[in-house]
Amino acid sequence: MPGPGALQNELALLGHRSYAVDLPGHGDRADVPAAYYRLPYDAAALADAASALRAVTLQDNVRHVVDALRRLAEHGPVVLVGNSLGGLTISAVANAVPDLLDRVVYLSALCLSSPAMLTEAWDVVDDNLLDAAAARIAVPGVPDPGVARLNWRSAHADPELFAELKAALMADSTDHQFRLLLDSMDPDENHAVLEPGALVTADGWGRVPHTYVRLSQDRSITPAVQRNCSRARPGRRSRTAC
């Protein structure tokens, strides 16, 4: 499986304009704690380091993406694509600026349609491999409960953990490709994006054509969860996957 850069290059070779947006606190915009890179690994220092993501909200993501969309829309049609947790942001963007978008595409991504999907257990069998693997690399003692901090780099020194994470995230890649992915992963994620503003609405998102691409072998956002998300309609509760 090629990485994001290779996919973007392939789109260009096929004649499509593409632009990868780093959300606030991620990618080139990340302010990663220095302790994340320090060797030997100091779990206490990494846990104590403040997270730049603690103040980032879903609306910060929306404003940042909309700024990029306004510039991109000057050059032609815009298709907004989100993967995994990024589905929450593209839903909120579609709610905010439906007229800027020609389509939204969910690539095995979260798409939520009712408040119950934020507060209640989903009636699906979610046999994902990521939760258990992520628990093994979670940094203990992080004082901010709204931020999840994971030490992805620790998998380089643990073959069993490396294999477990690879099976969960990138099973069809080579070990070399997965090592590159591990080194590109940001340690922090902010749970604040799981808020009502991420729910699709009829007067925003509902005006934009949308496509849901299911990945049948995804073991982090599993096919059952994908089916549940692909049925999203404004105000619709989660349903049992078939």
Side-chain angles (χ1 to χ4, degrees), residues 7-209:
L7 291 173
Q8 192 170 11
N9 288 344
E10 185 65 21
L11 285 171
L13 291 171
L14 294 172
H16 300 291
R17 295 180 301 111
S18 61
Y19 181 75
V21 182
D22 284 327
L23 295 177
H26 289 288
D28 289 343
R29 303 174 62 84
D31 185 8
V32 177
Y36 184 60
Y37 299 106
R38 191 176 300 142
L39 292 175
Y41 170 54
D42 185 336
L46 184 55
D48 289 341
S51 173
L53 277 179
R54 63 185 306 174
V56 175
T57 68
L58 179 65
Q59 292 310 309
D60 291 325
N61 288 354
V62 171
R63 283 189 289 270
H64 179 65
V65 174
V66 169
D67 285 346
L69 291 179
R70 293 194 190 282
R71 298 182 64 182
L72 292 167
E74 297 175 1
H75 305 289
V78 175
V79 177
L80 183 61
V81 182
N83 169 245
S84 191
L85 200 62
L88 303 178
T89 293
I90 67 171
S91 293
V93 170
N95 288 337
V97 289
D99 294 336
L100 280 181
L101 297 170
D102 292 87
R103 182 171 293 275
V104 291
V105 177
Y106 295 83
L107 180 60
S108 187
L110 295 182
C111 182
L112 310 184
S113 55
S114 78
M117 297 180 80
L118 289 170
T119 60
E120 300 176 13
W122 293 14
D123 190 13
V124 298
V125 177
D126 182 11
D127 55 347
N128 79 81
L129 299 180
L130 183 57
D131 287 349
R136 293 185 61 185
I137 60 173
V139 178
V142 175
D144 189 339
V147 174
R149 176 165 288 169
L150 304 177
N151 184 11
W152 297 100
R153 293 162 59 85
S154 64
H156 289 305
D158 185 335
E160 180 183 343
L161 176 58
F162 181 93
E164 188 175 346
L165 283 168
K166 183 171 180 282
L169 292 172
M170 208 175 180
D172 54 348
S173 73
T174 65
D175 284 356
H176 172 68
Q177 288 172 326
F178 187 61
R179 290 188 191 100
L180 294 176
L181 177 69
L182 283 176
D183 283 342
S184 72
M185 298 288 276
D186 301 320
D188 291 357
E189 192 57 74
N190 188 353
H191 294 155
V193 296
L194 285 162
E195 55 113 313
L199 303 177
V200 299
T201 65
D203 58 347
W205 179 90
R207 293 165 51 196
V208 184

Side-chain angles (χ1 to χ4, degrees), residues 111-114 200 205 210 229-237:
C111 182
L112 310 184
S113 55
S114 78
V200 299
W205 179 90
H210 43 273
C229 289
S230 67
R231 296 188 179 111
R233 299 292 183 274
R236 186 175 188 174
R237 295 172 62 91

